Amino acid sequence: MTSCGCLVVEQVEDHGGGGDARGKGNARGRAGCGCGVCAWDRRFETIFPIYVMGSSRARALLDLAAGDPIWEAVKSEARSEAEKEPVLSSFLYASVLSHDCLERALSFVLANRLEDPTLLATQLIDIFNDVMMNDVDIRRSIRLDAQAFKGRDPSCAQYSWALLYLKGYHSLQSYRIAHVLWNQGRKVLALALQSRISEVFAVDIHPAAKIGEGILLDHGTGLVIGETAVVGNWVSLMQGVTLGGTGKEHGDRHPKIGQGAFLGAGATILGNINVGEGAMIAAGSLVLKHVPPHSMAVGNPAKVVGYTEKEDPSLSMKHDARRDYFEQVAGSFSEDRSNGKCLLCKKCCELQLR
């Protein structure tokens, strides 16, 4: 068995055209041109320094000499844990140390979680390996997601914990495989995987949904994402979030979540509406209308109660703000609005305090 090596993304200097949830078509050069795209990229390269975003023209390369820091960290952590807890040494060897790359280790872990009497682990390993070893987007995403889990979830102290124990990470990577199969026309197999993922992890993501990179599914339990939903890069979703449709209409009927948004526990977002970039949806909120970028929506039905652009909530994970905080932010926003500095459109935002 030969090593799969490391995923390295070429640097691209131009910005290209419009992109999708995975960042394709939004090439991000490192030279500072003063645009918002470059500023966003420089910001995230400090957080995700190894596996930077690519574009539709940026092709991933297999560079055996470059190494794979996340995979090296996972192996080192597994060796250390095996020494500390000998009873788990066989598990850690089979799950991590017997493999030559992160993709094959992840295939083994997922296959053994999702197997059933009629869909054997050996069959799933072959399917998962074939998908991941031949799809450069997944190979980048599994690493960016691992960094998101370790960087944003205080209970995830090691990369290996995400790989081995966190069902939010497992369900997300299983979805990614099902999504590739769906796009390959293998829709029955993709739906079979979706059903099994829902049964095992209590996470129901339609394989046709589009989800970006650097995603955190914290806990994951009760998460539902519908067929035409789109989730941008760097989004954090807590347990019990629903991105659903309304009625029985066909076509594009599910929410679109902008990059850097944070969706609190139990938040329900229904219909073909937009949650703007860097927005925060408070826990338990019911969202039925568009939410402007960098705003905070609270309540049932949700209303915009404030606006901030200092920090993206998906990265800070600060979602426990009390009423006095919202009042302070709303007061600052109201003052800026009266001075003609409001960046929110009047159609989308009506300042209300509960």
Side-chain angles (χ1 to χ4, degrees):
M1 183 180 294
T2 59
S3 174
C4 66
C6 172
L7 186 70
V8 179
V9 181
E10 291 180 328
Q11 179 177 335
V12 179
E13 297 299 332
D14 65 320
H15 292 169
D20 63 14
R22 303 181 66 85
K24 297 177 182 176
N26 285 323
R28 295 171 179 174
R30 299 189 186 189
C33 67
C35 75
V37 174
C38 280
W40 182 276
D41 191 37
R42 287 194 302 272
R43 181 178 179 185
F44 281 105
E45 282 190 23
T46 63
I47 304 170
F48 302 97
I50 305 300
Y51 309 102
V52 297
M53 294 293 294
S55 76
S56 60
R57 297 196 305 145
R59 301 308 304 161
L61 305 175
L62 296 181
D63 185 351
L64 298 177
D68 186 344
I70 288 183
W71 175 235
E72 293 301 322
V74 168
K75 290 191 294 183
S76 176
E77 292 161 5
R79 293 190 191 99
S80 176
E81 294 301 325
E83 292 177 359
K84 295 177 183 177
E85 198 64 72
V87 72
L88 292 178
S89 58
S90 295
F91 163 72
L92 293 167
Y93 178 81
S95 300
V96 176
L97 299 175
S98 65
H99 304 285
D100 63 352
C101 63
L102 181 61
E103 288 79 4
R104 291 194 174 99
L106 181 58
S107 292
F108 179 88
V109 171
L110 296 181
N112 280 278
R113 293 297 306 273
L114 295 173
E115 70 169 337
D116 67 15
T118 60
L119 197 56
L120 303 181
T122 51
Q123 295 173 304
L124 291 174
I125 288 173
D126 289 340
I127 294 169
F128 296 172
N129 276 336
D130 181 64
V131 169
M132 284 196 282
M133 299 303 292
N134 292 289
D135 190 295
V136 295
D137 290 328
I138 282 188
R139 300 179 71 178
R140 183 176 63 239
S141 294
I142 65 176
R143 291 166 171 82
L144 285 168
D145 294 341
Q147 289 180 316
F149 273 76
K150 185 174 182 295
R152 298 181 219 162
D153 184 355
S155 68
C156 182
Q158 301 180 1
Y159 291 115
S160 61
W161 291 10
L163 172 66
L164 296 173
Y165 310 120
L166 300 187
K167 72 173 186 176
Y169 185 78
H170 295 164
S171 58
L172 179 58
Q173 308 320 320
S174 301
Y175 147 78
R176 294 196 186 282
I177 294 170
H179 181 68
V180 171
L181 294 171
W182 180 273
N183 289 336
Q184 291 176 347
R186 305 175 71 181
K187 295 186 177 181
V188 174
L189 179 55
L191 290 172
L193 277 177
Q194 176 198 3
S195 176
R196 188 63 180 152
I197 293 165
S198 178
E199 181 180 355
V200 173
F201 301 127
V203 173
D204 194 358
I205 307 175
H206 195 283
K210 298 177 181 178
I211 300 180
E213 300 172 316
I215 303 298
L216 172 64
L217 302 187
D218 199 359
H219 304 290
T221 303
L223 179 77
V224 177
I225 299 179
E227 179 183 10
T228 61
V230 177
V231 178
N233 300 315
W234 326 117
V235 172
S236 294
L237 304 93
M238 301 297 288
Q239 68 272 18
V241 167
T242 297
L243 304 182
T246 58
K248 299 189 294 184
E249 70 273 15
H250 295 278
D252 196 355
R253 61 194 185 278
H254 293 98
K256 312 297 180 284
I257 310 300
Q259 65 181 2
F262 174 87
L263 309 183
T268 300
I269 306 170
L270 301 179
N272 185 14
I273 60 176
N274 296 319
V275 173
E277 194 174 288
M280 184 181 80
I281 309 300
S285 297
L286 173 62
V287 181
L288 301 174
K289 297 180 180 180
H290 298 297
V291 176
H294 301 287
S295 62
M296 295 174 288
V298 182
N300 185 355
K303 296 178 176 62
V304 172
V305 298
Y307 170 79
T308 178
E309 59 180 349
K310 292 182 180 179
E311 198 170 26
D312 287 301
S314 70
L315 302 182
S316 69
M317 298 297 289
K318 293 179 180 178
H319 54 98
D320 60 346
R322 297 171 297 179
R323 180 181 175 86
D324 56 352
Y325 171 77
F326 284 118
E327 289 177 344
Q328 178 183 0
V329 173
S332 299
F333 166 70
S334 182
E335 180 179 351
D336 288 343
R337 184 178 181 180
S338 63
N339 294 332
K341 298 179 181 180
C342 178
L343 300 180
L344 302 180
C345 73
K346 295 180 180 179
K347 182 178 179 181
C348 293
C349 178
E350 178 184 2
L351 184 62
Q352 296 189 38
L353 290 175
R354 291 182 62 83

